[in-house]
Amino acid sequence: MASRGNFSNQFGFIAAAAGSAVGLGNIWKFPFEVTKGGGAAFVVMYLAFCFIFCYPILVAEISIGRNTKQNPLGALRTLGSKKWGIVGILGIVCGTIILSFYHVVAGWSLGYFVEIVKGNFDIGNSFGDFVKDTSPRTMPNVTFYTTIFTCLTAYIVYRGVKQGIELTSKILMPTLIIIIVVLFVYGLTLPHALSGIEFYLIPDFSKINFTVIYSALGQAFFSLSLGMGTLITYGSYLDRKVTIHKAAAYITLADVGIAFLAGLMIFPFLGFMNDGVLDNVEGGAGLIFQTLPLFFQELGTPGKVVGPVFFLLLSFAALTSAVSLLEVAVTYLIDEFKLKRRTAVLIASTFIFLLGIPSLLAHGSSSFFSEFITYGNSEKATDFMSLAEDLANDSLLPLGGCLIAFFTVYIWKKHNFYAELKRGSNLKADGFVIKYIMFSLKYICIPILSIIFILTILDHFLGIQLI
Ligand code: TRP
């Protein structure tokens, strides 16, 4: 195992894991999920889920990874049995699906950066045309940007754990936080900023229904990169000296904090753009892509700086997350098939890029993929990318999380899990933290996540609402 990489220290690990967690999920997806979920009520659910379900599972994933020093499949097979390897495979498949559409949205972001640098603020009005144009004859377009983004991700993963993943995250993460804070402060000075903040922060609990709960849960898992082995993989590069439960707490706080800040940054903008009336704002994949460029345009000269910076930031955030998704498939290929890193990166990236083509075409350029399938209660056909999202985020991630909780409690077992947690820390076995983590895995995560998983499948795919 001498060829496996390693993070240099606790900060390197936290930067990389937080870099994985903080991404399009926080800045692109979180605001439109909040708008769809009726505002602050969604935010409250999301925060609760992150701490109740996700933190303990995060600790479990990192411990499994560090204990075995293997990819998700190898790790679960070693600590459990051959059968459990299937859960590892499920994770790798899920990550592959996520990355296939993640590249596409990251490509939009990169394209927006270039367009806005060129002064084309009107792009906000032509989001539909922008994402539709995929023809090789009209390059550079989204096909080009998605390809560039795929290559960048591949290059960083090829550079390896320390020189690639860790270094990039250490530079990009702090930059990102600074930019968000600057934009947030700036947004506060605008008219109607406060109505935006109000919509975002004052909950109206009558808006909570099961659909909101499912998407808040899916969002919590997606945002923390949980449920598919990213953190098993990153944990496998972690030194025994690091205190896992503390590192996991920092990662959760960084992710939740940045999502929260991103909301604080965007909702004043939305308040300003909609003259203070946010109830009817349509939340969807286009939310930030349609609204923000027009906003930057209205700002005049400052917008010429803020605009490009924003989309650059979004692309950066996406890059460190995409890297973590690709790394899972790459470690799997390296560990299981003894491939060289370079070969593994080439195979995985090419495969994922090809798998992403239907998502690339799903926004109007191919009617087959844009109106791919009709399911559940919806009368409208769902496009391929939304199908991939429904399947991976809302269904497979919570399922993966639930299986990992089950695995930790009943297969790997408490004493082994505790022994790993105690390495590098002075935790007492009967201390509050350990007790809380175990309690949550056993009595909260396993039962509730399995119920929610079944309800989600029934609701999303079969249109049956039991409750
Ligand atoms: N968490 C990232 C985001 O918020 C996306 C991501 C990276 C992810 N790795 C993951 C999602 C693993 C699920 C599983 O954008």
Side-chain angles (χ1 to χ4, degrees):
M1 287 284 153
S3 63
R4 282 186 78 79
N6 250 319
F7 291 115
S8 10
N9 52 26
Q10 170 151 325
F11 176 65
F13 169 70
I14 293 175
S20 159
V22 176
L24 294 173
N26 304 57
I27 302 170
W28 161 68
K29 203 163 181 313
F30 181 66
F32 81 72
E33 292 287 353
V34 173
T35 346
K36 271 203 309 202
F42 178 93
V43 181
V44 173
M45 307 277 331
Y46 161 79
L47 291 178
F49 289 159
C50 282
F51 288 101
I52 301 172
F53 295 117
C54 295
Y55 171 73
I57 297 179
L58 186 66
V59 173
E61 276 203 28
I62 300 175
S63 310
I64 292 173
R66 185 169 80 174
N67 188 269
T68 54
K69 299 247 165 263
Q70 288 189 51
N71 68 88
L73 161 71
L76 296 182
R77 206 175 40 199
T78 307
L79 298 179
S81 60
K82 220 170 170 185
K83 260 197 334 249
W84 278 95
I86 298 172
V87 176
I89 293 279
L90 183 77
I92 295 164
V93 169
C94 178
T96 304
I97 300 177
I98 293 180
L99 187 54
S100 73
F101 67 77
Y102 207 85
H103 275 152
V104 175
V105 181
W108 298 348
S109 167
L110 207 57
Y112 261 57
F113 166 68
V114 175
E115 287 301 318
I116 290 189
V117 165
K118 288 198 297 201
N120 177 12
F121 289 91
D122 207 36
I123 184 102
N125 284 323
S126 42
F127 172 72
D129 293 331
F130 177 77
V131 292
K132 197 160 122 186
D133 178 12
T134 54
S135 155
R137 267 171 280 122
T138 50
M139 300 275 204
N141 56 22
V142 279
T143 310
F144 173 77
Y145 294 118
T146 302
T147 314
I148 296 282
F149 194 86
T150 310
C151 295
L152 275 175
T153 312
Y155 178 70
I156 295 178
V157 172
Y158 159 69
R159 298 272 309 186
V161 177
K162 225 177 268 174
Q163 290 308 315
I165 302 176
E166 182 180 325
L167 187 70
T168 325
S169 307
K170 271 186 183 164
I171 302 173
L172 296 186
M173 287 300 297
T175 319
L176 185 95
I177 298 178
I178 296 172
I179 297 175
I180 298 186
V181 172
V182 171
L183 286 179
F184 160 59
V185 173
Y186 184 74
L188 281 186
T189 62
L190 300 167
H192 298 298
L194 284 184
S195 352
I197 299 266
E198 219 169 85
F199 176 80
Y200 180 51
L201 292 185
I202 301 183
D204 169 1
F205 287 106
S206 67
K207 287 186 179 155
I208 294 193
N209 56 31
F210 272 91
T211 314
V212 174
I213 296 181
Y214 305 141
S215 27
L217 186 71
Q219 174 65 16
F221 273 86
F222 184 83
S223 169
L224 278 164
S225 304
L226 275 189
M228 51 129 306
T230 288
L231 284 137
I232 297 184
T233 308
Y234 275 21
S236 77
Y237 307 133
L238 186 61
D239 194 280
R240 302 250 187 252
K241 288 200 287 287
V242 172
T243 314
I244 293 183
H245 71 280
K246 277 202 191 133
Y250 291 131
I251 298 164
T252 310
L253 286 175
D255 183 64
V256 170
I258 293 183
F260 192 70
L261 259 180
L264 283 178
M265 160 184 90
I266 283 166
F267 283 93
F269 290 0
L270 288 176
F272 171 68
M273 293 302 292
N274 294 285
D275 294 326
V277 188
L278 277 96
D279 277 338
N280 301 325
V281 173
E282 252 193 60
L287 181 70
I288 64 166
F289 290 104
Q290 282 157 335
T291 320
L292 292 182
L294 302 175
F295 164 74
F296 296 133
Q297 185 172 33
E298 265 185 51
L299 293 183
T301 317
K304 293 204 174 103
V305 181
V306 179
V309 165
F310 177 82
F311 284 103
L312 191 62
L313 157 150
L314 190 60
S315 312
F316 283 167
L319 190 59
T320 47
S321 300
V323 159
S324 77
L325 283 159
L326 181 59
E327 180 66 23
V328 177
V330 167
T331 356
Y332 162 71
L333 293 176
I334 296 179
D335 285 354
E336 300 295 319
F337 300 96
K338 310 281 169 271
L339 297 183
K340 286 213 186 75
R341 185 165 267 272
R342 180 196 308 203
T343 323
V345 170
L346 203 66
I347 295 176
S349 300
T350 313
F351 179 76
I352 292 170
F353 178 76
L354 296 177
L355 193 69
I357 291 179
S359 291
L360 181 68
L361 302 180
H363 302 276
S365 110
S366 137
S367 54
F368 178 70
F369 289 119
S370 308
E371 290 155 31
F372 189 63
I373 189 170
T374 310
Y375 56 76
N377 278 334
S378 138
E379 313 223 306
K380 274 201 328 223
T382 304
D383 66 275
F384 188 88
M385 185 163 121
S386 307
L387 169 70
E389 279 185 72
D390 273 354
L391 193 67
N393 305 0
D394 292 5
S395 317
L396 291 182
L397 293 180
L399 173 67
C402 182
L403 290 170
I404 286 168
F406 185 89
F407 180 84
T408 310
V409 175
Y410 295 107
I411 311 290
W412 194 26
K413 299 215 164 75
K414 191 165 150 181
H415 59 280
N416 294 317
F417 177 41
Y418 282 13
E420 187 57 48
L421 277 181
K422 271 170 54 190
R423 292 205 170 107
S425 90
N426 45 14
L427 264 187
K428 291 200 194 55
D430 57 356
F432 172 75
V433 180
I434 276 205
K435 275 199 178 145
Y436 166 71
I437 293 174
M438 204 58 194
F439 177 84
S440 163
L441 289 177
K442 195 165 174 180
Y443 297 110
I444 306 182
C445 295
I446 300 175
I448 298 190
L449 289 178
S450 29
I451 296 173
I452 296 189
F453 171 71
I454 295 169
L455 293 178
T456 311
I457 297 288
L458 292 176
D459 173 87
H460 277 18
F461 297 104
L462 306 171
I464 303 172
Q465 273 139 354
L466 287 188
I467 315 186

